[in-house]
Amino acid sequence: QRELVESGGGSVQAGGSLRLTCTVYGSTHIRFCLGWFRQAPGSGREGVATIDRDGSTAYSDSVKGRFSISRDEHKNTLYLQMNSLKPEDTAMYYCVADFGWFCAGTLKKTDLAGWGQGTQVTVSS
């Protein structure tokens, strides 16, 4: 059984908004370091945003000021609110979990504890 299940992707025009949702199951704790990565066609995976046990967040420079990561502990759910979307935001978005409570350079990591199956986001110009 997958422990990270994403939803909320879709197609939107540039300037629009989407909210991605990741439901956390099993042994992955909602207060672990959790985050979102993305992968565009022909590109490697890119760390987008993370949130740690204490609610501290980090963002890649490419999304800072436009995207916001949050969680609802009662619903065991992680969110990524994406505003002012651009065509270059088009990618498969993955919910991820790191090893432990705190995010130490998680945005740059390739070895993570868990990955969701991904949800597609397509932004048209």
Side-chain angles (χ1 to χ4, degrees), residues 1-115:
Q1 179 183 358
R2 289 189 179 275
E3 298 199 354
L4 303 168
V5 180
E6 305 97 333
S7 62
S11 297
V12 65
Q13 289 192 323
S17 297
L18 283 173
R19 188 177 77 161
L20 304 184
T21 298
C22 173
T23 305
V24 179
Y25 298 97
S27 60
T28 301
H29 197 284
I30 187 61
R31 295 187 75 188
F32 279 175
C33 171
L34 300 176
W36 294 91
F37 274 55
R38 68 185 181 185
Q39 186 169 21
S43 299
R45 288 181 173 175
E46 174 193 13
V48 173
T50 60
I51 185 167
D52 73 8
R53 184 193 74 175
D54 297 336
S56 296
T57 59
Y59 298 91
S60 66
D61 288 343
S62 59
V63 306
K64 201 171 293 182
R66 300 187 297 121
F67 289 13
S68 178
I69 188 170
S70 62
R71 64 172 175 242
D72 184 330
E73 295 184 18
H74 298 292
K75 295 182 179 179
N76 260 22
T77 301
L78 180 74
Y79 302 101
L80 184 68
Q81 178 67 43
M82 306 185 294
N83 299 326
S84 302
L85 282 161
K86 304 175 181 180
E88 51 263 43
D89 294 317
T90 295
M92 186 72 79
Y93 283 72
Y94 298 91
C95 179
V96 302
D98 204 347
F99 299 94
W101 304 108
F102 297 102
C103 307
T106 302
L107 289 176
K108 300 297 185 183
K109 285 187 176 182
T110 56
D111 179 25
L112 294 166
W115 294 79

